[in-house]
Amino acid sequence: METYTLFDILSKAAIIAAGLFAAIQLVHIKKQRSRESALQLLNSVQTPELIEAMNIVYGIPMGLTKGEIETHLSDKFPKVMHMHMQLESIGLLVFKKEIKLELVAEFMRGPILLFWGSMKNYFFETRRVNNDENYGEWVQWLAEQIEKKELKKTTKPAHIAYKNWKP
């Protein structure tokens, strides 16, 4: 075999090896980024402010009008709006594919659906009054995406599915 042919084979093999190495690194980076997103999401939802806001939202009756919500919440309204801003941010991050919808649904399915169910009339009326369809857009979008996912969900809840799990 000629030296030129040998170098040609070696250079092609090196290019292929480099390509494989790069692909493996990209998969590793993607997994690492996913883990970091999960930890960041966990940290963002485990703040005392958000936990307090969630407890307030759990006490909002469904179907209230904007005025009834404002009256019901009174001085607690800013705390609920803090939760709104958190959920808006999460919704946008899911849309931009910075965080996976599945991850958000696993962490916060209940609070997101409850928030939107309790507060949607507030957002609808505020949009109408201000002629601004953008107000609360990402929390609505996020809740709707989770609801769609729920319709397709066929797995059992973790406490049932993994009842016999052992570390």
Side-chain angles (χ1 to χ4, degrees):
M1 187 181 308
E2 292 183 29
T3 307
Y4 175 76
T5 305
L6 181 62
F7 284 133
D8 188 44
I9 291 170
L10 287 175
S11 67
K12 287 179 181 173
I15 291 170
I16 291 170
L20 288 173
F21 179 75
I24 291 168
Q25 287 298 101
L26 286 174
V27 168
H28 178 70
I29 289 168
K30 190 174 181 180
K31 285 181 182 179
Q32 182 179 359
R33 185 173 175 219
S34 180
R35 278 191 302 272
E36 288 172 5
S37 294
L39 289 172
Q40 193 67 16
L41 177 63
L42 185 60
N43 288 334
S44 74
V45 300
Q46 291 185 335
T47 64
E49 297 82 12
L50 193 61
I51 292 168
E52 183 178 3
M54 281 186 214
N55 286 327
I56 294 167
V57 168
Y58 279 109
I60 302 172
M62 295 286 183
L64 297 181
T65 65
K66 179 181 185 288
E68 290 169 335
I69 289 170
E70 290 169 341
T71 300
H72 178 79
L73 291 175
S74 184
D75 62 332
K76 296 175 186 169
F77 188 77
K79 293 176 182 180
V80 173
M81 286 297 101
H82 172 77
M83 183 175 180
H84 161 237
M85 292 311 298
Q86 288 281 84
L87 297 179
E88 283 282 300
S89 300
I90 291 169
L92 181 58
L93 289 172
V94 168
F95 176 76
K96 296 283 187 178
K97 298 183 179 174
E98 295 295 325
I99 303 174
K100 291 182 180 178
L101 175 62
E102 294 79 14
L103 181 67
V104 172
E106 287 295 320
F107 275 134
M108 298 191 63
R109 175 186 300 113
I112 291 167
L113 295 177
L114 182 66
F115 178 88
W116 181 247
S118 299
M119 296 292 293
K120 65 183 170 186
N121 289 340
Y122 174 84
F123 290 102
F124 291 152
E125 289 182 47
T126 301
R127 288 174 186 173
R128 184 181 49 77
V129 168
N130 296 323
N131 195 27
D132 180 8
E133 281 296 312
N134 295 3
Y135 189 62
E137 64 186 322
W138 290 113
V139 70
Q140 178 180 356
W141 179 86
L142 182 60
E144 289 171 353
Q145 298 308 305
I146 291 172
E147 286 171 346
K148 281 187 214 175
K149 190 158 189 57
E150 281 293 296
L151 294 175
K152 297 176 186 174
K153 188 176 180 186
T154 57
T155 59
K156 295 178 183 177
H159 67 279
I160 295 170
Y162 306 115
K163 183 177 175 179
N164 297 320
W165 181 83
K166 293 179 181 157

